[in-house]
Amino acid sequence: FSDKWFLSGGGSYETDPIRQLDRRAVLAAGIGRDIWNFHDRSMNFELGVGSLDETLAGLSESSTIAYWKYRFSYEFSGLDLEAYHNHQITSYLSGRDNLFAKSSTGVRYEIGDDLFYLTLSLNVDYEQEPPPGVETDDSTWVIGVGFEF
């Protein structure tokens, strides 16, 4: 709604048998601000609220949530290389007492005429109150190949 401020809306759905997460569905809306928005670098943040419905370790519950998102990317001039970091922290305002976070940090190398790319990233998930016997955090290294048009 202005050059730097924006409204957002979105949803997500995830499962994770290792963390005993049978289902987590989120529907949310927020407001954000661009700090930088240039062709070679961008940084913005977003705050919002929403509704969460989940089944964790066989127990279903609905909650109201608040979230914070941060997105950053920087393209290194002349190298066809981009570094990025994105994260989201979500806190439960009602329902069970919990907070979860997700982050992805990595580099992306463009191949050829900006059509194909290679990616190396570290993805981290954190759950403040996981089911008994489940770790609070989970880290994954990802190597990928992709294309964009």
Side-chain angles (χ1 to χ4, degrees), residues 5-77:
W5 291 93
F6 59 88
L7 297 174
S8 66
S12 65
Y13 183 88
E14 68 176 308
T15 63
D16 188 341
I18 294 172
R19 292 187 309 169
Q20 299 180 23
L21 178 63
D22 299 320
R23 174 181 48 85
R24 179 180 284 152
V26 175
L27 199 56
I31 185 170
R33 179 163 167 72
D34 287 326
I35 305 302
W36 306 324
N37 193 5
F38 303 111
H39 74 281
D40 63 343
R41 65 189 181 279
S42 66
M43 181 190 316
N44 66 50
F45 68 86
E46 183 181 326
L47 297 168
V49 294
S51 176
L52 176 143
D53 188 52
E54 71 181 350
T55 302
L56 186 67
L59 300 172
S60 295
E61 191 164 351
S62 294
S63 303
T64 303
I65 57 161
Y67 70 87
W68 154 268
K69 283 185 182 178
Y70 173 80
R71 291 178 289 268
F72 167 81
S73 69
Y74 185 87
E75 291 184 25
F76 295 92
S77 180

Side-chain angles (χ1 to χ4, degrees), residues 77-144:
S77 180
L79 297 177
D80 292 329
L81 186 68
E82 175 187 17
Y84 63 89
H85 173 77
N86 302 309
H87 73 247
Q88 178 172 337
I89 301 170
T90 303
S91 180
Y92 292 52
L93 302 176
S94 69
R96 75 185 185 102
D97 186 22
N98 193 30
L99 175 141
F100 67 89
K102 295 179 166 296
S103 75
S104 180
T105 304
V107 292
R108 178 173 152 163
Y109 179 71
E110 295 179 357
I111 302 169
D113 295 330
D114 299 336
L115 182 62
F116 294 96
Y117 59 88
L118 297 172
T119 301
L120 173 64
S121 68
L122 174 62
N123 297 341
V124 178
D125 291 340
Y126 170 81
E127 186 96 24
Q128 184 179 22
E129 295 294 330
V134 177
E135 296 290 324
T136 57
D137 58 354
D138 179 32
S139 302
T140 306
W141 282 98
V142 178
I143 299 172

